[in-house]
Amino acid sequence: MSGMWENTVDRIFVGASRKPDDSYQQAENLLLKMANRHGLVTGATGTGKTVTLQILAEAFSNAGVPVFCSDIKGDVAGLAMKGEPKDFLAKRAAAIQLDPYEFQEFPVIFWDLFGEKGHPVRATVSEMGPLLLSRLMNLTEAQEGVLNIAFRIADEEGMLLLDMKDLQAMLVNVGERANELGMRYGNINRASIGAIQRALLVLEEQGGAFFFGEPALKIADIMRTTRDGRGAINVLAAEKLMMNPRLYGTFLLWLLSELFEELPEVGDPAKPKLVFFFDEAHLLFNEAPRALMERIEQVVRLIRSKGVGVYFVTQNPLDVPETVLAQLGNRIQHALRAYTPREQKAVKTAADTFRPNPDFDCATAITTLGTGEALVSTLEEKGAPSMVQRTLVRPPASRLGPITDSERATIMAQSPVAGQYDQTIDRESAYELLRAQAEQAARTADEAARAEQAEKARKVEERQAGSRSENGWTLPEFPGGGTSQRQPQRRAPAPRTSNRQTVAEAAMKSVVRSVGSSLGRAIVRGILGSMKR
Ligand SMILES: Nc1ncnc2c1ncn2[C@@H]1O[C@H](COP(=O)(O)OP(=O)(O)OP(=O)(O)O)[C@@H](O)[C@H]1O
Ligand SMILES: [Mg+2]
């Protein structure tokens, strides 16, 4: 029976379901055309989730499907290196009759929000949008309302919000105009502005200053394939990022929403356009307000028709809300413990979601699975779940475990995006424009004041002259009253128009560059509030 279980053009080999006495063996596959129906990988610590993610990523890549996944412990990075033969791997390969068992390295692109263990990945404040930013900063509803107004005004006035200082400047501006803006947008509470500004400072310290800005990540760059037709595996270094779980969760959600907004409808393709692994998925749903939860559900549901498969990886199936769980068609359940009532409930929930197999009791199986063994059920041709099978997952072809710093450096130097994201660009945006406006206003006020001075001096002179010649009578000065209504602004020497045009022109150019056809109108925002291009 050699070579029976290789990946074929339309399916991924996950492992073999078998009985310990080898009286029964069957390949367990994931159909590529069903891979956009999402999936779930769960199991307690050390039961084999990461290796399962690794073998799935390998197979997707070989099938020409780009992958995005995060690397929380540094062990996913091994995908970039060829695996080395080891006894326990060979034994496993033999047990599931994976023959030949070949080692291979994969085309990995490393990314890192902090720019240390991968190419910097950035987003602009505008792209992130008020909804996700509020989530990121844990704002109250009232504060979120104010942030929304700040975004609306920025959108309407063509102020680009690229980095954190843009948003800070915009908030200061909104605070200064609170009375005027309040009439149009409703009460703008200065205390809320202060609270947002403080939250921004915290976010800045946590790495936001590095993350928010340009050049922003281009979606096309994570959807690359190699010349020999393999999909890129994008690995997000997340060891440091995990220290700020909210930034981690919000960033991945932003990336999902960007994929959703940017990719065209493709229906149900023969294979996915991209597969997205969401590790530590509970961080996405933890304390998510209801409104956001609904949007997440919506994005997960709709992104399928863009050809994106989303695979949640988490310890406990109870971490994923039921409405989302119901959309995850391909399931790989590693072992769970069942000591506490909550654990027992998780086991029961997990067991109940499978199409039962008369050969064994699901709940019992879940608590007795070995390492790298799992209950597997995938979607069949017509979309129905396959009968659950107790499956020994195949061993990886790439390295099991981390890579060295110098290996990483070599791979990054050869990366197709090497040099593209390394340098921050700081082009003219809200901060610069508002500063220029403020300077202009100060100049105008200054000139006005000087004009008024001159006017006063002239008046004194006139009065002295008048008292000498016409008995000191002059006409009253009031609006519409005739002669000399004070209009220092108009009398002041015209503000340097050339200067003003420069600012306006620059603003136009910036807006054109980033919002294209929506110039002159407010920016259109997508399902999660990100900027639509
Ligand atoms: N399919 C497999 N083939 C070979 N070895 C495996 C396989 N799955 C798991 N193992 C072994 O089990 C170890 C633990 O697996 P893994 O790191 O995937 O667990 P995990 O569920 O991700 O744990 P954690 O929650 O702590 O991250 C691996 O380092 C490897 O030695
Ligand atoms: Mg792991």
Side-chain angles (χ1 to χ4, degrees), residues 14 46-49 51-52 92 334-335 369-374 391-394:
V14 177
T47 54
K49 296 183 301 295
V51 180
T52 292
R92 180 177 287 255
H334 287 284
L369 289 165
T371 305
E373 198 183 10
T391 304
L392 196 59
V393 178
R394 65 154 292 171

Side-chain angles (χ1 to χ4, degrees), residues 231-489:
I233 302 180
N234 299 275
V235 174
L236 177 75
E239 275 166 287
K240 185 170 169 189
L241 184 56
M242 286 311 289
M243 290 188 237
N244 183 352
R246 191 173 268 132
L247 181 57
Y248 170 79
T250 313
F251 166 70
L252 287 192
L253 184 54
W254 167 77
L255 191 50
L256 261 189
S257 78
E258 285 296 295
L259 286 165
F260 173 74
E261 302 294 347
E262 286 202 23
L263 297 182
E265 290 281 327
V266 289
D268 280 317
K271 65 181 185 194
K273 300 288 174 204
L274 180 88
V275 168
F276 190 102
F277 287 97
F278 206 127
D279 207 343
E280 302 285 348
H282 62 283
L283 296 176
L284 176 61
F285 306 112
N286 263 2
E287 300 160 26
R290 243 187 82 128
L292 183 63
M293 274 302 309
E294 280 166 14
R295 308 279 183 96
I296 296 172
E297 282 162 31
Q298 219 176 341
V299 168
V300 172
R301 181 155 36 81
L302 298 174
I303 206 168
R304 187 184 122 188
S305 63
K306 312 254 169 152
V308 178
V310 182
Y311 288 70
F312 292 105
V313 182
T314 185
Q315 292 202 4
N316 191 329
L318 295 178
D319 293 338
V320 183
E322 227 162 292
T323 41
V324 174
L325 210 52
Q327 299 178 46
L328 312 179
N330 301 295
R331 306 256 170 118
I332 301 182
Q333 174 69 59
H334 287 284
L336 290 173
R337 285 182 296 263
Y339 302 130
T340 68
R342 181 174 148 86
E343 286 168 353
Q344 284 155 10
K345 185 164 176 245
V347 169
K348 194 174 177 317
T349 306
D352 287 349
T353 58
F354 284 114
R355 180 176 144 202
N357 185 331
D359 285 349
F360 60 88
D361 173 60
C362 251
T364 313
I366 289 174
T367 57
T368 56
L369 289 165
T371 305
E373 198 183 10
L375 294 188
V376 174
S377 170
T378 57
L379 292 181
E380 294 173 334
E381 290 286 344
K382 295 213 168 79
S386 65
M387 186 190 289
V388 63
Q389 297 289 355
R390 190 167 175 157
T391 304
L392 196 59
V393 178
R394 65 154 292 171
S398 52
R399 180 189 295 176
L400 200 57
I403 64 175
T404 66
D405 287 347
S406 76
E407 284 169 339
R408 189 183 292 265
T410 307
I411 291 159
M412 282 175 60
Q414 294 163 352
S415 149
V417 298
Q420 276 184 43
Y421 291 96
D422 301 341
Q423 229 37 55
T424 313
I425 302 171
D426 193 7
R427 65 178 160 119
E428 189 160 68
S429 48
Y431 168 77
E432 287 82 4
L433 294 179
L434 287 170
R435 198 182 51 187
Q437 268 184 14
E439 282 169 7
Q440 182 64 53
R443 251 198 311 274
T444 309
D446 199 41
E447 281 156 356
R450 250 182 284 135
E452 199 163 5
Q453 280 292 321
E455 181 71 11
K456 264 192 201 140
R458 194 179 56 79
K459 234 171 60 181
V460 171
E461 243 168 53
E462 269 177 11
R463 213 177 289 146
Q464 288 167 347
S467 60
R468 280 194 298 270
S469 62
E470 288 183 328
N471 301 326
W473 299 104
T474 46
L475 284 164
E477 291 174 11
F478 57 85
T483 52
S484 58
Q485 185 205 345
R486 291 281 176 276
Q487 281 185 321
Q489 287 93 339

Side-chain angles (χ1 to χ4, degrees), residues 49-50 73 75:
K49 296 183 301 295
T50 299
K73 292 188 178 160
D75 47 358

